[in-house]
Amino acid sequence: MNQKQKKNSIPDSSTGLYGIIGHPVAHSLSPVMHNSAFKATGLNNVYLAFDVTDLEDAVKGIRALGIKGVSVTVPHKESVMKFLDEIDPVAKKIGAVNTIINRNGRLLGTNTDWIGAVKALEEGAGRLDTKKVLVLGAGGSARAVVAGLTERGARVLIANRTLEKAKDLAEQFDARWYSFDELPDVEANIVVNTTSVGMEPNQDTSLIPAELLPKYPIVMDIVYSPLKTKLLKEAEAAGCKTITGLRMLLFQAVAQFELWTGMQAPAEVMERALYKTLKKSNE
Ligand code: ATR
């Protein structure tokens, strides 16, 4: 069990090390969320960002240095799997790992992105088992969102630019698939953009024509830079309820903290740290 940290104490020889591996990671918001959570719970841990290009060596480093838990982000979520000792069934099904847990030297890969997506949607939309959800995209992020929706019993529809990918994903999760051209005929309670369309520096793009938005009462974008994407701005103007990508980011981190520590995460502290950092970086 982790030793408790005295208030404001500096790291010492019993400090537990956690971190994120990705490339680039300079703007990752995970360090502020996790460090604020460690501080609030009094755990003697620190969380650092590691910009990693040699993934195999980085994973050896996790083992060699006894790093206790690691978040994995773009572009390593899929390629890291082959270097780990065990992948849990949910990460296998999604085909991506965003969380590594070091259990006495054995590295277990799991995925909390699906939990993040589901919690963000449940917070904004309530129960999902009665909902029809249109997912835009069929890449790695879409797989996590679709896995979460399926787990909660939602009816899932997938639309993607490359139809073959939409079909493959839909078949795996027993969903329906569409091309973007068919969207005028597709009704759903919720739409979730899982693609990078709308992300800086291409913030003037959106996959759904504004005139179709009134068909979707709740609109979520997993993109959070900018916080209000073109899709969300247009959805708001159309009277839809909107959910930003920051909610998913927060809840996937909350789930990571709980897996690593076995403690309830101080979600409000993490949320405050996240929003404060973003506000500062936008000033
Ligand atoms: P991630 O892990 O972030 O999901 P990915 O696996 O590369 O990244 O998937 C990217 C998704 O965004 C895909 O669904 C991709 O569509 P294609 O399968 O047709 O490539 C979608 N995407 C990216 N740029 C897009 C664009 N300009 N227009 C439409 N879809 C786009």
Side-chain angles (χ1 to χ4, degrees):
M1 216 29 213
N2 244 301
Q3 290 201 352
K4 288 273 178 160
Q5 185 181 30
K6 283 196 208 87
K7 214 165 185 248
N8 298 326
S9 68
I10 54 171
D12 59 18
S13 55
S14 61
T15 300
L17 180 54
Y18 293 76
I20 181 165
I21 56 173
H23 180 69
V25 283
H27 296 105
S28 172
L29 294 161
S30 294
V32 292
M33 286 192 283
H34 285 295
N35 284 316
S36 64
F38 289 145
K39 192 171 173 204
T41 48
L43 291 173
N44 184 8
N45 294 332
V46 295
Y47 183 109
L48 301 176
F50 300 105
D51 194 324
V52 165
T53 46
D54 187 333
L55 185 58
E56 184 171 10
D57 276 1
V59 175
K60 282 185 189 153
I62 294 170
R63 279 200 191 85
L65 300 174
I67 297 176
K68 292 183 169 175
V70 176
S71 310
V72 184
T73 189
V74 180
H76 300 317
K77 286 186 185 187
E78 286 152 36
S79 38
V80 77
M81 295 172 80
K82 59 180 175 292
F83 302 123
L84 304 179
D85 300 306
E86 198 182 330
I87 308 293
D88 81 350
V90 70
K92 265 192 203 146
K93 185 138 201 213
I94 294 169
V97 158
N98 82 322
T99 309
I100 300 171
I101 304 166
N102 187 344
R103 291 205 176 127
N104 302 317
R106 271 184 70 76
L107 301 186
L108 168 70
T110 185
N111 193 305
T112 65
D113 285 331
W114 73 272
I115 305 176
V118 156
K119 296 258 179 198
L121 283 166
E122 286 174 340
E123 180 185 58
R127 294 176 62 139
L128 297 174
D129 58 347
T130 54
K131 305 286 191 311
K132 204 173 175 186
V133 186
L134 170 63
V135 175
L136 307 176
S141 308
R143 301 181 74 79
V145 172
V146 170
L149 289 168
T150 309
E151 200 277 334
R152 289 296 202 265
R155 278 174 65 198
V156 179
L157 320 173
I158 298 165
N160 194 48
R161 177 177 60 181
T162 310
L163 196 57
E164 198 56 29
K165 279 172 69 183
K167 180 171 179 279
D168 287 350
L169 181 57
E171 283 177 348
Q172 190 195 345
F173 287 94
D174 208 12
R176 303 185 68 143
W177 70 91
Y178 300 90
S179 68
F180 290 134
D181 293 343
E182 293 173 282
L183 287 187
D185 301 318
V186 178
E187 305 274 339
N189 306 105
I190 304 173
V191 58
V192 185
N193 175 46
T194 72
T195 76
S196 51
V197 175
M199 191 188 292
E200 280 163 2
N202 300 311
Q203 59 267 52
D204 293 331
T205 53
S206 163
L207 284 174
I208 305 217
E211 65 271 17
L212 296 184
L213 286 168
K215 294 200 304 166
Y216 308 113
I218 301 173
V219 179
M220 169 165 156
D221 203 329
I222 75 162
V223 171
Y224 54 81
S225 63
L227 188 53
K228 265 196 200 168
T229 57
K230 181 169 194 250
L231 172 68
L232 293 187
K233 276 188 204 154
E234 291 182 344
E236 240 175 47
C240 314
K241 178 163 191 178
T242 59
I243 304 169
T244 74
L246 270 196
R247 305 312 292 169
M248 176 170 167
L249 181 72
L250 170 67
F251 290 125
Q252 63 77 32
V254 163
Q256 286 183 326
F257 180 95
E258 293 181 350
L259 284 171
W260 288 331
T261 66
M263 292 169 65
Q264 192 181 351
E268 283 174 17
V269 171
M270 296 169 81
E271 178 179 357
R272 271 201 300 279
L274 177 61
Y275 283 79
K276 197 170 145 193
T277 306
L278 267 182
K279 201 170 156 232
K280 257 195 215 149
S281 66
N282 288 332
E283 272 167 10

